[in-house]
Structures are given as structure tokens and as C-alpha cells.
Amino acid sequence: MTIYSKTEVQLEDSFQARVDDEQKIEPKDWMPEVYRKNLIRQISQHAHSEVIGMQPEGNWITRAPTLRRKMVLLAKVQDEAGHGLYLYSSAETLGASREEMIDALHQGKAKYASIFNYPSLTWADVGTIGWLVDGAAIVNQISLQRTSYGPYARAMIRICKEESFHQRQGYESLMALAFGSPEQKAMAQDALNRWWWPSLMMFGPHDAESAHSAKSMQWKIKRKSNDELRQAFVDQTVPQADYLGLTIPDPDLKWNEQRGHYDFGEIDWEEFQQVISGNGPCNRERLVNHRSAHEEGQWVRDAVRAYEAKQKKREKAA
Ligand code: 3HC
């Protein structure tokens, strides 16, 4: 049992009072070590998700059906890289180094969103990722705009603005398919069938099984629970699928007047555990691609370091 000194207890009490008072915690403020470590874990994994998430969509940039779709997809994938950079920078304010975070990813010690371990098989997958994956990310990230850690909250505000474009472009692309030829509508339905349940997994395990939620809610890292956010996502997405004339692949999905929400079926948690433990359809490929891109970019990092060293020498000599 950790014996805290009196000052440690006082420090933790005043920290909690600040969080309860909705004050933002900034990098230079005292914070419990567990708070700092939990934030580095979540923010770095969030950043990894943004960057790895570029792969399934990037796979379709050269095969977009029109120049306009290509330009939109290019802009979106480029945005995701920027989101990753904001988030790595936010984690660095907590003392984590970029190298350590990337190394943890490559060693399989750090996770990224399970959803990105599924293959993007047809053009309809690109629209479905925008509609469902970015849609789910927005539900989660709007809530994170009020997270207690200042740099994370501020990164979310910027990211949410761009995510809404991501979700809209995906839905608009699906509208073209759903209201297109029967083959195009069938392609959209096939994509929905494959991406629906993995999208619900994005919100994490049930609250009762969540290892981090209790502390994350107490410290207002999380403002809403996994199940609350998942329910909000289902409630907002079902009418959108109805409008497209697509069927959500869940026989238990039905409106519950009493609850004022949709009831829906149980997620396959065995599949979820398999995917987050590295055994999903694309886990290996995603990390192989990330490692080789990272190695290819070594010369850029070396050049930046050489330039910085030269600058420092010049400043010293001046
Ligand atoms: N994929 C991978 N791992 C997941 C997961 C998922 N969908 N859901 C939960 N996990 C992991 C957690 O990381 C944790 O493992 P760890 O201890 O090794 O980190 C474990 O499962 C237990 O889950 P908890 O619910 O206890 O974990 P959290 O409290 O961290 O909640 C979370 C999980 C809701 C994903 C939370 O971390 C979070 O809100 N993260 C920020 C948002 C984020 O990362 N989104 C990812 C998608 S980003 C995206 O989609 C980009 C868009 O532009 C396309």
C-alpha cells in the first residue's frame, strides 16, 4: 500500500478540487503521476489511431472514381496526419518523447483503434469509414473537448472541426452509391454490413469492464462513459442509415420508446479482444507499413536534428 506523505494527500485533494471546479490542468501544474501516465497512454494511442487510420483510406487514393473524390480523400487523409501530430505534441507536454511513443507502437506495447485493423475492400468502404468511423470519432471527440487536460482539450477543438468535414464527405459519397445503381447500393450495403459492429467497438468495452473509466471519469479525462457515447452514436446513426435505405446488420436493433433510445444487440467481445491483442485481419500489415514509412523518413529526422545542432552552435557562437 502506498503511504502518501501529508503534502501528497493535500496536493491530490487540491488537484481534484481544481478538476471538480472545471479548471483546466496545464503542463506546468502539479498532477498525480497516475493522471499523467493515463493521459500519455490515451493521447498517444489516440495519435497512433489517427496515423494508422490513414492506411485503409490511403489505399483508395489512386483508385478514387473521380478527380473530385480523389481530392476530397487526399484532403481527409492529410488531415488525419495533422491530427496525429497535434496529439503527439499534446502527449509530449506530459514528458513523453515522440521516439518512445512510436517505439511503444512498433513493439506492440501501445494500442491504436481496433477499427483500423479491418480491410477497406471496395470504394464504398471509404464512404462508410467517413460516415461511421469518423462519425463515431466525432461523438467521442466532442466529449473530449471538455477533458480536464488543457492541451488535449484544445487539440480536440481543432480536430472536431475537421472531423465534421470527414463525416459529411463520407455520408455524401454513400448517398451517391445508395441512390445510384442497384450494384452501387449493394456495394454500400456490403460495406455497412462489415463496418457496423467494428464501429461500435470503437467506444471500448462496457463501462463495467473498462479498466480506466472510473479514474478517467473522476479526473474528467473522460466526460462521458463508453456505453453512453456508444448509445449516442447508435441513436444518431440509425436514422441516417434509414435515409440511405440501408439495413443495419443487427436483428435486435429497435426503438425503445420507454428509454428514448435504440436497443441494439451485443457486440462480439471475443472478436474485439482478438483484434486489440494484435490478431485482427490487418494488424500485422498496418504495423509493417508504419515501420517501413518510419524508416523511410529517418533521413528527414536526421536532417532536422543536424539543422537544429547547427543553429544551436550558431547561437552559442553569436
Ligand atoms: N481499440 C483499441 N483499444 C481499445 C479500444 C479500441 N476501440 N477500446 C478500448 N481499448 C483498450 C484501451 O486502450 C485499454 O487498453 P490499454 O490499457 O492497453 O490502453 C483497454 O482497451 C480497456 O479499455 P478502457 O475503456 O478501460 O480504456 P479507455 O478508458 O482508454 O477508453 C477509449 C477507450 C474510449 C478509446 C479512450 O481511450 C478514448 O476515448 N480515446 C480517445 C479517442 C480515440 O482514441 N479514438 C480512436 C479513434 S481516432 C479516429 O477514429 C480518427 C478519425 O479521424 C478516423
Side-chain angles (χ1 to χ4, degrees):
M1 196 218 9
T2 320
I3 310 290
Y4 287 106
S5 65
K6 198 166 170 305
T7 46
E8 193 82 6
V9 171
Q10 281 167 329
L11 281 167
E12 187 132 357
D13 288 350
S14 58
F15 170 83
Q16 189 63 54
R18 290 191 60 203
V19 167
D20 295 345
D21 185 39
E22 295 295 338
Q23 292 178 36
K24 284 288 177 259
I25 304 302
E26 296 299 335
K28 291 201 170 36
D29 293 338
W30 186 89
M31 59 186 84
E33 187 54 14
V34 178
Y35 174 86
R36 192 180 69 82
K37 283 203 173 116
N38 190 1
L39 276 171
I40 290 175
R41 173 194 66 84
Q42 176 164 330
I43 300 172
S44 63
Q45 293 184 158
H46 196 162
H48 297 331
S49 304
E50 299 280 1
V51 173
I52 297 276
M54 294 163 72
Q55 291 188 35
E57 290 169 315
N59 180 24
W60 281 89
I61 289 173
T62 54
R63 296 182 283 170
T66 65
L67 187 56
R68 176 175 171 271
R69 293 283 178 213
K70 188 192 194 89
M71 289 193 301
V72 169
L73 184 55
L74 266 170
K76 178 191 193 293
V77 172
Q78 194 175 331
D79 279 351
E80 308 297 10
H83 296 177
L85 294 182
Y86 304 148
L87 289 162
Y88 284 129
S89 305
S90 167
E92 284 167 346
T93 66
L94 288 155
S97 82
R98 189 73 59 93
E99 290 73 17
E100 280 163 2
M101 292 187 271
I102 301 296
D103 195 46
L105 172 69
H106 289 169
Q107 303 301 323
K109 291 191 193 111
K111 293 184 173 66
Y112 56 89
S114 47
I115 190 82
F116 297 124
N117 289 308
Y118 291 83
S120 49
L121 301 176
T122 73
W123 172 252
D125 288 37
V126 175
T128 306
I129 289 172
W131 172 36
L132 297 183
V133 177
D134 288 80
I138 292 174
V139 169
N140 171 293
Q141 290 169 166
I142 283 177
S143 159
L144 281 171
Q145 287 180 129
R146 294 174 47 241
T147 190
S148 56
Y149 187 58
Y152 195 20
R154 291 188 288 272
M156 281 298 106
I157 292 167
R158 170 76 187 264
I159 287 175
C160 283
K161 287 191 172 69
E162 293 174 343
E163 289 296 8
S164 45
F165 145 64
H166 298 173
Q167 197 265 1
R168 280 203 203 103
Q169 64 80 34
Y171 192 68
E172 191 246 355
S173 155
L174 273 194
M175 281 169 65
L177 297 175
F179 303 136
S181 68
E183 294 77 11
Q184 286 176 320
K185 183 164 184 179
M187 193 161 69
Q189 182 62 59
D190 163 60
L192 176 56
N193 294 344
R194 286 184 285 107
W195 289 92
W196 174 254
W197 290 103
S199 299
L200 298 195
M201 294 174 194
M202 283 178 69
F203 295 96
H206 282 310
D207 299 341
E209 280 83 48
S210 165
H212 301 288
S213 283
K215 266 302 186 200
S216 290
M217 296 291 278
Q218 178 196 327
W219 282 332
K220 297 189 181 178
I221 292 174
K222 268 184 183 177
R223 301 307 302 254
K224 289 200 174 145
S225 75
N226 296 1
D227 286 325
E228 250 181 300
L229 292 173
R230 190 176 1 253
Q231 181 68 67
F233 171 71
V234 171
D235 290 349
Q236 80 177 30
T237 310
V238 172
Q240 293 168 354
D242 293 346
Y243 177 75
L244 293 175
L246 299 179
T247 308
I248 287 177
D250 177 0
D252 298 323
L253 183 73
K254 66 180 173 306
W255 180 252
N256 182 322
E257 195 53 43
Q258 216 180 348
R259 283 197 328 122
H261 295 290
Y262 281 93
D263 292 338
F264 54 95
E266 192 54 53
I267 288 167
D268 179 345
W269 294 110
E270 179 46 33
E271 177 181 330
F272 173 74
Q273 286 305 332
Q274 281 301 318
V275 175
I276 70 169
S277 326
N279 309 316
C282 299
N283 295 57
R284 202 180 152 284
E285 174 194 337
R286 299 289 184 241
L287 284 184
V288 164
N289 290 344
H290 190 283
R291 267 196 214 94
S292 59
H294 190 67
E295 280 149 24
E296 271 165 40
Q298 186 58 49
W299 68 272
V300 176
R301 293 189 293 277
D302 293 345
V304 169
R305 281 200 195 96
Y307 175 76
E308 284 169 346
K310 209 163 165 200
Q311 281 300 89
K312 275 200 188 105
K313 235 173 156 180
R314 269 210 201 111
E315 281 151 22
K316 249 198 200 138

mmCIF file of all heavy atoms in Angstrom, residues 21 72 106 123 126 223 225 255 290:
data_model
loop_
_atom_site.group_PDB
_atom_site.id
_atom_site.type_symbol
_atom_site.label_atom_id
_atom_site.label_comp_id
_atom_site.label_asym_id
_atom_site.label_seq_id
_atom_site.Cartn_x
_atom_site.Cartn_y
_atom_site.Cartn_z
ATOM 1 N N ASP A 21 -13.793 21.802 -10.166
ATOM 2 C CA ASP A 21 -14.192 23.201 -10.416
ATOM 3 C C ASP A 21 -14.070 23.545 -11.910
ATOM 4 O O ASP A 21 -14.110 24.707 -12.308
ATOM 5 C CB ASP A 21 -13.260 24.110 -9.561
ATOM 6 C CG ASP A 21 -13.653 25.579 -9.644
ATOM 7 O OD1 ASP A 21 -14.885 25.846 -9.655
ATOM 8 O OD2 ASP A 21 -12.748 26.441 -9.762
ATOM 9 N N VAL A 72 -10.931 15.137 -52.386
ATOM 10 C CA VAL A 72 -11.556 15.121 -51.043
ATOM 11 C C VAL A 72 -10.846 14.093 -50.163
ATOM 12 O O VAL A 72 -10.509 14.352 -49.006
ATOM 13 C CB VAL A 72 -13.066 14.803 -51.171
ATOM 14 C CG1 VAL A 72 -13.686 14.505 -49.805
ATOM 15 C CG2 VAL A 72 -13.801 15.955 -51.842
ATOM 16 N N HIS A 106 5.461 0.345 -32.224
ATOM 17 C CA HIS A 106 6.139 -0.696 -33.028
ATOM 18 C C HIS A 106 6.365 -1.977 -32.229
ATOM 19 O O HIS A 106 6.368 -3.069 -32.784
ATOM 20 C CB HIS A 106 7.480 -0.167 -33.567
ATOM 21 C CG HIS A 106 7.300 0.855 -34.639
ATOM 22 N ND1 HIS A 106 8.328 1.635 -35.116
ATOM 23 C CD2 HIS A 106 6.193 1.259 -35.333
ATOM 24 C CE1 HIS A 106 7.885 2.444 -36.062
ATOM 25 N NE2 HIS A 106 6.591 2.237 -36.207
ATOM 26 N N TRP A 123 -14.708 0.692 -52.850
ATOM 27 C CA TRP A 123 -14.822 2.143 -52.756
ATOM 28 C C TRP A 123 -15.880 2.537 -51.731
ATOM 29 O O TRP A 123 -15.748 3.528 -51.025
ATOM 30 C CB TRP A 123 -15.126 2.767 -54.123
ATOM 31 C CG TRP A 123 -15.429 4.224 -54.008
ATOM 32 C CD1 TRP A 123 -16.644 4.832 -54.156
ATOM 33 C CD2 TRP A 123 -14.512 5.265 -53.661
ATOM 34 N NE1 TRP A 123 -16.529 6.195 -53.926
ATOM 35 C CE2 TRP A 123 -15.241 6.485 -53.624
ATOM 36 C CE3 TRP A 123 -13.131 5.307 -53.364
ATOM 37 C CZ2 TRP A 123 -14.648 7.721 -53.312
ATOM 38 C CZ3 TRP A 123 -12.535 6.532 -53.032
ATOM 39 C CH2 TRP A 123 -13.295 7.717 -53.038
ATOM 40 N N VAL A 126 -14.705 3.429 -48.247
ATOM 41 C CA VAL A 126 -14.135 4.763 -47.971
ATOM 42 C C VAL A 126 -15.241 5.687 -47.455
ATOM 43 O O VAL A 126 -15.091 6.364 -46.439
ATOM 44 C CB VAL A 126 -13.477 5.343 -49.239
ATOM 45 C CG1 VAL A 126 -12.989 6.769 -48.987
ATOM 46 C CG2 VAL A 126 -12.341 4.445 -49.711
ATOM 47 N N ARG A 223 -15.437 12.510 -20.209
ATOM 48 C CA ARG A 223 -16.598 13.235 -19.673
ATOM 49 C C ARG A 223 -17.869 12.392 -19.775
ATOM 50 O O ARG A 223 -18.859 12.646 -19.134
ATOM 51 C CB ARG A 223 -16.780 14.557 -20.435
ATOM 52 C CG ARG A 223 -15.590 15.480 -20.364
ATOM 53 C CD ARG A 223 -15.128 15.773 -18.939
ATOM 54 N NE ARG A 223 -16.112 16.345 -18.076
ATOM 55 C CZ ARG A 223 -16.102 17.644 -17.713
ATOM 56 N NH1 ARG A 223 -15.153 18.447 -18.155
ATOM 57 N NH2 ARG A 223 -17.021 18.119 -16.901
ATOM 58 N N SER A 225 -19.218 8.145 -20.473
ATOM 59 C CA SER A 225 -18.695 6.765 -20.409
ATOM 60 C C SER A 225 -18.742 6.117 -21.788
ATOM 61 O O SER A 225 -19.399 6.608 -22.717
ATOM 62 C CB SER A 225 -19.563 5.962 -19.436
ATOM 63 O OG SER A 225 -20.796 5.653 -20.072
ATOM 64 N N TRP A 255 -36.275 0.708 -31.784
ATOM 65 C CA TRP A 255 -36.515 1.893 -30.964
ATOM 66 C C TRP A 255 -37.243 1.493 -29.688
ATOM 67 O O TRP A 255 -38.186 0.721 -29.719
ATOM 68 C CB TRP A 255 -37.339 2.931 -31.728
ATOM 69 C CG TRP A 255 -37.602 4.153 -30.897
ATOM 70 C CD1 TRP A 255 -38.791 4.527 -30.337
ATOM 71 C CD2 TRP A 255 -36.647 5.137 -30.504
ATOM 72 N NE1 TRP A 255 -38.634 5.693 -29.634
ATOM 73 C CE2 TRP A 255 -37.324 6.095 -29.716
ATOM 74 C CE3 TRP A 255 -35.255 5.328 -30.734
ATOM 75 C CZ2 TRP A 255 -36.679 7.204 -29.152
ATOM 76 C CZ3 TRP A 255 -34.622 6.423 -30.189
ATOM 77 C CH2 TRP A 255 -35.332 7.347 -29.412
ATOM 78 N N HIS A 290 3.681 0.906 -41.173
ATOM 79 C CA HIS A 290 4.070 2.057 -40.354
ATOM 80 C C HIS A 290 5.580 2.042 -40.103
ATOM 81 O O HIS A 290 6.261 3.066 -40.223
ATOM 82 C CB HIS A 290 3.324 2.055 -39.012
ATOM 83 C CG HIS A 290 3.498 3.326 -38.237
ATOM 84 N ND1 HIS A 290 4.652 3.625 -37.525
ATOM 85 C CD2 HIS A 290 2.693 4.410 -38.094
ATOM 86 C CE1 HIS A 290 4.541 4.815 -36.975
ATOM 87 N NE2 HIS A 290 3.373 5.315 -37.298
#
